[in-house]
Amino acid sequence: MTNTPLPRSLDPASGELLAGYLLRLAHRIGIPPLDLAHRCGLTAGTTFPTRHIIRVDDTRAQQTATVCRLGLPEVHALTLATQAPSYPPLHLVYLGRHQSHIDMANDGWVFTSFSRYCPDCLADTADLPGGSVWQGSWRLPHTFVCTRHHRLLDWRCPACQAPAFSNGYRADGRWRPTQLIPSPHSHLHPAQCRYRPGTGRDPACAHRLDHPSATGEGPTEAMVHAQHRLAAAARSGAGQDAESLGRPTSPQRFLNDIRATTLAICSTWPATAEVFTGAGHLDAVAAHAETLNRAPAERAGPQGDGWLARSVDHPPGDPLRAAALMALVVQILDDPGGQKVLAHVLSRLPSSRAGYRRLKRLAPHCSPGMNAAIGESSHLRHGTGVGPPSLFPQPPTHHGLLDPKKIPQIMPYAWAWPLDELDAPARQLRRDAAIRLVQMARGGSRAAAARYLGISPGALQSATVTIRAWQKVPGNAAAYQDALQRIAEIAASATGIEAPSSTRLTTADTG
């Protein structure tokens, strides 16, 4: 370790993180990043400790400032703690307990294993001295949209499919220990993938990540709004206010509400979806919730979204799933009536589950609106012996007339031909009609009817979102009503039971 300043240096770019800055500087002066880290006193070994992504202690910060010809505030500005001062999971004391940097990494709400990225942003800065700039905000779970280029962020290398800026997977599929800069001995442009395949002795992938790629559809308006809300809260200063569930609160408590609502959604899915049927990309939320709700043994290894599943409420690694989930969360918290929705959803959270214990730990640090929802959920949970009422129940209008055991997931054409007269997506309509028939025969919620038929939550939400949107067109709901009545009569007749024509559905039944 030496205090001798480098012969030349770089000015940090706006929003840049320490890892990206060291990459650019090492590339500019032509030395491996690890050698630069040794000179800055950031490590004495062969790896970069990930704790420097959160904050740098004063001694190392001063050493780095001297070697890199920077001011001390410039070094501290290269950390997440400075860039997101109001983001609670980055605080040394979080949820009433002191946490280490390892706790932060293992909690699942701070990205230290990989980074999302915008290839257009990397391309825009590729010709700067030292090369492309990696934004610090890309490491945080609430950053999933590049508002500058109006696109969802990427997160995997197109060539090797490893999560970007990660130390990657071992040959056996497990994560390698994370570090601030993967492949620290390599001479690479900052925009090149640093994943080492196999045992890690092979050269890094080195694919350029600054080649703009097609990412499919762009972010929805709700996703962009959620991105702005979350980023503004995380960057807010002392004394600033936020709003959650129609009540004023602090940005920190609003962000804790984000976590509590995420917990509510993922731990009780698809209860929330039964209420917010118009939310976008519910299939992406369902896919993430289904991953979290697997058996513990199935979640012990690496997940498809790039995480080791350490907590029941961690946000998705995949930017589309994260954007869909956070858009739904913010939609609930932006709604002054969202408290009642949350209360009903949280009342379904079993008190024996880890999620319930985590919610109790979160509650003292959440907003007044969230605590009111938690209190109401407890009242609902203990108010009756049978638990909370089913959301959107359907009375069994055809009980004893229809045999639910003979209703298939997707109805045969011999039953479903009345749907041909409707201008609607055929497959989703036939699936939705099957769910309706089970409700008519047994009563209960759509979710219960879908489970009875063996329809997955993702398929249920796909049908629900599509058909609910179609029914909003004037005349469609009434026409669907008539078609369902005829289908019920056909189904009853096919099973040897005649349904009386006087038994009718109401508009509320098909809503």
Side-chain angles (χ1 to χ4, degrees):
M1 183 171 70
T2 175
N3 287 318
T4 305
L6 294 168
R8 54 180 176 164
S9 186
L10 287 172
D11 291 329
S14 176
E16 189 170 30
L17 205 59
L18 180 61
Y21 175 77
L22 294 175
L23 274 185
R24 289 201 303 129
L25 182 54
H27 182 64
R28 187 186 189 196
I29 62 180
I31 65 173
L34 188 63
D35 290 353
L36 178 57
H38 286 160
R39 297 191 64 165
C40 293
L42 296 171
T43 182
T46 59
T47 63
F48 278 92
T50 55
R51 65 178 180 272
H52 299 318
I53 205 172
I54 309 296
R55 54 179 51 82
V56 182
D57 64 63
D58 289 339
T59 301
R60 290 183 174 87
Q62 185 60 66
Q63 176 77 8
T64 302
T66 300
V67 170
C68 298
R69 299 176 177 271
L70 300 175
L72 196 57
E74 289 181 299
V75 175
H76 288 302
L78 293 168
T79 63
L80 287 174
T82 306
Q83 293 184 15
S86 288
Y87 188 59
L90 291 172
H91 296 174
L92 290 176
V93 177
Y94 179 45
L95 304 182
R97 300 180 185 179
H98 187 278
Q99 62 172 354
S100 67
H101 298 95
I102 295 176
D103 294 331
M104 294 180 190
N106 289 343
D107 185 67
W109 279 82
V110 178
F111 288 150
T112 55
S113 299
F114 64 93
S115 175
R116 293 171 183 155
Y117 68 98
C118 173
D120 297 286
C121 287
L122 293 179
D124 290 347
T125 56
D127 294 331
L128 290 179
S132 299
V133 174
W134 286 79
Q135 292 292 313
S137 62
W138 293 343
R139 288 273 186 172
L140 295 170
H142 60 255
T143 307
F144 38 81
V145 170
C146 175
T147 54
R148 180 184 172 197
H149 294 102
H150 194 70
R151 60 168 293 157
L152 289 168
L153 297 180
D154 285 345
W155 72 297
R156 290 187 186 274
C157 169
C160 67
Q161 291 299 303
F165 224 108
S166 74
N167 210 19
Y169 305 105
R170 300 181 190 271
D172 61 4
R174 292 182 299 161
W175 276 99
R176 293 193 185 95
T178 59
Q179 55 177 306
L180 193 62
I181 296 179
S183 304
H185 296 282
S186 303
H187 291 267
L188 296 170
H189 186 276
Q192 287 182 281
C193 175
R194 308 183 72 83
Y195 167 63
R196 296 165 297 154
T199 62
R201 298 188 180 92
D202 297 322
C205 168
H207 180 80
R208 290 289 289 252
L209 302 176
D210 56 348
H211 295 160
S213 58
T215 57
E217 59 186 299
T220 65
E221 185 177 334
M223 293 175 181
V224 175
H225 170 70
Q227 175 71 92
H228 284 304
R229 281 275 274 148
L230 293 165
R235 291 196 305 263
S236 61
Q240 291 185 266
D241 292 329
E243 187 172 287
S244 182
L245 298 171
R247 304 190 193 185
T249 189
S250 68
Q252 293 91 342
R253 289 185 180 273
F254 167 71
L255 289 166
N256 286 331
D257 284 1
I258 293 289
R259 180 165 189 172
T261 307
T262 300
L263 172 67
I265 292 171
C266 294
S267 297
T268 63
W269 188 266
T272 311
E274 294 178 19
V275 181
F276 288 89
T277 55
H281 293 284
L282 286 178
D283 54 338
V285 181
H288 176 62
E290 288 171 6
T291 298
L292 290 179
N293 288 319
R294 291 173 183 164
E298 295 180 36
R299 295 193 292 112
Q303 301 297 312
D305 67 351
W307 277 107
L308 288 172
R310 298 184 176 99
S311 62
V312 294
D313 66 329
H314 76 74
D318 183 296
L320 173 60
R321 292 185 182 184
L325 177 59
M326 290 298 108
L328 177 57
V329 168
V330 170
Q331 180 184 351
I332 293 171
L333 296 181
D334 278 353
D335 183 359
Q339 176 181 318
K340 186 170 292 294
V341 174
L342 277 174
H344 277 284
V345 172
L346 287 169
S347 68
R348 296 186 171 197
L349 186 62
S351 57
S352 60
R353 293 277 295 271
Y356 182 79
R357 295 190 294 273
R358 191 178 297 274
L359 179 68
K360 300 296 282 186
R361 184 180 168 197
L362 274 167
H365 310 280
C366 290
S367 72
M370 179 60 69
N371 274 280
I374 294 172
E376 187 176 346
S377 75
S378 180
H379 173 74
L380 289 171
R381 180 182 290 109
H382 300 295
T384 66
V386 295
S390 175
L391 296 176
F392 291 117
Q394 159 73 48
T397 56
H398 286 61
H399 181 67
L401 303 174
L402 287 172
D403 184 355
K405 296 178 182 179
K406 297 181 180 180
I407 299 173
Q409 282 190 13
I410 299 180
M411 289 186 299
Y413 181 74
W415 294 10
W417 61 264
L419 301 178
D420 289 350
E421 302 171 9
L422 309 178
D423 183 19
R427 184 175 181 83
Q428 287 92 336
L429 194 63
R430 289 171 67 182
R431 175 168 283 152
D432 186 82
I435 293 170
R436 302 290 185 177
L437 286 187
V438 171
Q439 287 184 282
M440 292 159 69
R442 303 176 72 241
S445 69
R446 285 176 54 77
R451 285 195 298 271
Y452 183 85
L453 289 169
I455 296 173
S456 71
L460 169 65
Q461 296 317 311
S462 176
T464 300
V465 171
T466 302
I467 301 308
R468 289 286 170 87
W470 170 78
Q471 283 190 123
K472 291 179 181 178
V473 177
N476 284 352
Y480 191 23
Q481 236 181 86
D482 291 337
L484 283 171
Q485 177 63 30
R486 283 184 283 166
I487 290 171
E489 294 170 356
I490 293 169
S493 176
T495 58
I497 305 173
E498 183 180 356
S501 59
S502 60
T503 306
R504 304 295 294 178
L505 293 173
T506 67
T507 302
D509 294 333
T510 58

